[in-house]
Amino acid sequence: MTPEHDKLLVQSFPLLYADRQASIRESCMGWGFECGDGWFKLIWDLSEKLEKIINNLPNYCTWCGDSEHQSICECGCKKYESSWIRAAQVKEKFGTLRFYMTSSIDEIDEHISVAEKLSSTTCENCGEAGIRRGSG
């Protein structure tokens, strides 16, 4: 994906792509979006849905799991996070989109499944309707 599209996705969906600038040792998102620009709209539409879901999830402490903390964890662990669900990797594999998350809920899994299925009939390079072909 072009750097311009990469940057636009990361800026527009900061919760979902919070790990985009992480080291490749910390997250596969460090590799960026490993697919062609033809899937940009597909990924954009999916990202809008996922960002909204993540934004509405309760805050929680990554150490004690308490979802009632408001800003700093009351247990003193200082590992409070407003969102623990993030994109872990976005890539093409065997001609279709693969969209992996650090963790998930059923609603997120359903949206990802639809997008991955749509990718099998969308050209990864130009975004036009297409068909999946064998290798070569």
Side-chain angles (χ1 to χ4, degrees):
M1 186 167 292
T2 63
E4 294 79 22
H5 280 154
D6 183 307
K7 184 176 180 181
L8 186 57
L9 286 166
V10 173
Q11 288 177 341
S12 300
F13 309 107
L15 297 175
L16 180 60
Y17 300 117
D19 291 340
R20 173 57 189 92
Q21 301 306 320
S23 151
I24 58 173
R25 291 180 177 189
E26 297 171 336
S27 170
C28 288
M29 280 308 301
W31 293 106
F33 297 87
E34 301 175 90
C35 60
D37 281 327
W39 287 346
F40 175 76
K41 181 170 178 4
L42 186 66
I43 293 170
W44 179 274
D45 292 346
L46 175 60
S47 299
E48 280 184 323
K49 294 170 186 164
L50 301 186
E51 184 82 4
K52 185 176 181 179
I53 293 167
I54 293 168
N55 192 46
N56 290 324
L57 290 172
N59 297 327
Y60 93 116
C61 170
T62 58
W63 187 78
C64 71
D66 192 336
S67 62
E68 300 302 317
H69 300 323
Q70 296 301 311
S71 60
I72 296 175
C73 184
E74 295 168 10
C75 70
C77 70
K78 299 181 181 172
K79 292 185 179 181
Y80 170 87
E81 292 190 17
S82 60
S83 174
W84 67 97
I85 297 180
R86 298 183 174 108
Q89 187 175 28
V90 180
K91 68 178 186 174
E92 174 277 331
K93 185 173 182 179
F94 301 123
T96 60
L97 175 67
R98 296 294 194 269
F99 201 102
Y100 302 111
M101 302 290 291
T102 56
S103 61
S104 193
I105 59 174
D106 290 342
E107 186 179 8
I108 287 175
D109 292 340
E110 290 167 12
H111 288 300
I112 291 172
S113 181
V114 169
E116 289 177 343
K117 186 173 181 175
L118 284 172
S119 73
S120 70
T121 58
T122 305
C123 177
E124 179 188 359
N125 296 315
C126 71
E128 296 294 319
I131 59 169
R132 198 167 144 231
R133 299 185 219 169
S135 62

